[in-house]
Amino acid sequence: MRSTGSWYELRSETGELWKGRLRGKFKMQGLKVTNPIAVGDWVDCSIEDESENTVNINDIRARENYIIRKSVHKTAHGHLIAANIDQAILIATLTKPRTSLGFIDRFLVSSESFRIPTCIIFNKTDLLDEEELAYQQDLCAMYASIGYPALQTSVAQGVGLEEFRNLLSGKISLLSGHSGVGKSSLVNQIAPHLALKTSEISDYANKGVHTTTFAEMFLLNDESFIIDTPGIKELGLIDMEVSEIGHYFPEMRDLLGECRYHNCLHVNEPQCAVKEAVEAGKIALTRYESYLSMLDNDDNRR
Ligand SMILES: Nc1nc2c(ncn2[C@@H]2O[C@H](COP(=O)(O)OP(=O)(O)OP(=O)(O)O)[C@@H](O)[C@H]2O)c(=O)[nH]1
Ligand SMILES: [Mg+2]
Ligand SMILES: [Zn+2]
């Protein structure tokens, strides 16, 4: 569920809480990591002290998926953020703060590369005028058409909360998004018992200061969990080849065999099926622009 320095907080299949310590060294095949266990991992344990509720962690089960970020401290290493996630949920706001489409698309590419299904929630709809609402509606339709379900919510007006609850039901969901978009506020609406802290300024002040990443899992009800991850707000693309990026845009992936050149990067090449689809309006221009900016590795374009 979470790591508190030397101890791991664990929840057994039957719902009991234990404190565990790792015995021995664990290495992931072909992966150098600073932390051997992540939130969401399943581990095998033996009881150390029943009265103290402590166990020894003996083994880590194979992961269905995981999210890893470059370690801030050890350059050749990765930092495991979470494992065995059913879905990622990106909370975005068009205003206060503004989440750019570039940021959204980067996030989607990243979760595609980790093979994690992703949904987008546009929160704070109460702050939008009619024109902005129509624009947001179009965005939702566009993202849904390429396989990312999108939802519009307002905590202030109680809009979309039932849909949000349904989205989380029975799953392990990783919540992400810029500081101040309303992640904690949304969760509190459907799980008041968690009483997560919310605030106007939040940790805006800490933005960009990568303190220790520590993800935490919360229990919504017996079969639904959310993982809150402060460190994943800035999803970095780890070591991706330029030729790979197009594979993480589902609407481009479908066309890759149709370009004249098999190694087409869809920039200036003739007879490029991707560019033709953009011109024909079958691929959204904003998505193509995000793609180009990722090719350039233009990290400042947000
Ligand atoms: N107008 C409006 N304000 C909202 C809405 N949802 C949340 N807020 C406000 O936005 C501010 C930030 O909300 P939080 O829930 O703390 O945001 P967060 O995403 O958890 O931020 P971090 O914890 O810093 O990552 C608070 O003042 C909330 O009351 C909404 O739908 N409409
Ligand atoms: Mg919060
Ligand atoms: Zn092409």
Side-chain angles (χ1 to χ4, degrees):
M1 303 292 286
R2 62 185 61 83
S3 149
T4 59
S6 49
W7 290 98
Y8 293 97
E9 284 184 35
L10 308 163
R11 184 176 187 274
S12 74
E13 280 164 304
T14 47
E16 301 137 34
L17 296 176
W18 298 83
K19 286 201 305 177
R21 263 191 301 217
L22 193 60
R23 286 291 144 95
K25 285 210 169 202
F26 286 90
K27 279 200 177 133
M28 271 176 84
Q29 262 184 340
L31 205 62
K32 280 183 184 166
V33 290
T34 50
N35 54 331
I37 307 184
V39 164
D41 263 330
W42 283 101
V43 292
D44 292 319
C45 303
S46 49
I47 292 174
E48 186 188 63
D49 185 336
E50 185 125 36
S51 63
E52 298 277 331
N53 263 33
T54 56
V55 295
N56 287 320
I57 299 172
N58 303 320
D59 208 357
I60 305 165
R61 296 279 176 96
R63 300 180 170 107
E64 269 173 48
N65 58 33
Y66 56 83
I67 294 183
I68 191 166
R69 199 180 75 180
K70 266 188 187 157
S71 166
V72 228
H73 308 294
K74 286 177 152 182
T75 39
H77 287 64
H79 186 87
L80 278 175
I81 296 194
N84 304 316
I85 300 150
D86 292 320
Q87 63 182 352
I89 298 179
L90 176 62
I91 318 249
T93 46
L94 288 190
T95 180
K96 293 190 175 176
R98 186 178 90 92
T99 307
S100 73
L101 298 186
F103 178 82
I104 293 176
D105 292 335
R106 252 164 217 282
F107 187 93
L108 296 174
V109 163
S110 203
S111 50
E112 284 289 331
S113 77
F114 293 119
R115 296 176 215 290
I116 296 171
T118 302
C119 312
I120 307 168
I121 294 184
F122 289 97
N123 188 37
K124 306 201 186 184
T125 55
D126 55 287
L127 300 181
L128 305 183
D129 63 26
E130 232 164 81
E131 199 180 319
E132 292 164 324
L133 273 176
Y135 169 67
Q136 187 170 270
Q137 185 68 49
D138 288 348
L139 280 181
C140 288
M142 184 269 282
Y143 281 115
S145 77
I146 47 182
Y148 305 112
L151 204 73
Q152 304 179 77
T153 59
S154 165
V155 171
Q157 295 177 330
V159 173
L161 301 177
E162 205 46 48
E163 288 93 330
F164 178 55
R165 187 198 304 274
N166 293 338
L167 195 63
L168 300 176
S169 173
K171 293 192 168 148
I172 298 176
S173 307
L174 180 123
L175 285 194
S176 202
H178 287 319
S179 183
V181 294
K183 297 180 292 295
S184 305
S185 307
L186 274 166
V187 170
N188 281 343
Q189 290 299 310
I190 61 162
H193 65 278
L194 293 179
L196 301 182
K197 271 193 213 138
T198 66
S199 82
E200 199 65 67
I201 33 171
S202 279
D203 42 271
Y204 280 122
N206 289 331
K207 239 184 127 188
V209 184
H210 285 292
T211 42
T212 330
T213 318
F214 107 95
E216 225 180 327
M217 194 184 283
F218 296 102
L219 184 67
L220 284 183
N221 56 49
D222 274 343
E223 68 267 3
S224 314
F225 299 85
I226 51 161
I227 299 175
D228 200 10
T229 58
I232 210 174
K233 275 166 201 160
E234 312 275 316
L235 260 196
L237 303 179
I238 58 158
D239 297 335
M240 205 172 276
E241 300 285 333
V242 282
S243 59
E244 256 183 286
I245 300 175
H247 294 265
Y248 300 131
F249 283 78
E251 72 273 52
M252 293 188 192
R253 191 162 57 209
D254 297 342
L255 297 171
L256 294 185
E258 293 170 34
C259 295
R260 173 162 172 196
Y261 298 107
H262 77 279
N263 58 351
C264 184
L265 288 179
H266 329 301
V267 185
N268 293 315
E269 297 91 335
Q271 293 171 41
C272 166
V274 168
K275 277 195 297 174
E276 281 162 19
V278 174
E279 276 152 30
K282 290 177 188 152
I283 288 179
L285 187 57
T286 60
R287 292 275 293 166
Y288 181 63
E289 284 171 346
S290 293
Y291 167 77
L292 291 181
S293 114
M294 275 175 235
L295 273 192
D296 281 352
N297 203 13
D298 178 3
D299 277 332
N300 299 318
R301 204 161 135 173
R302 299 223 167 123

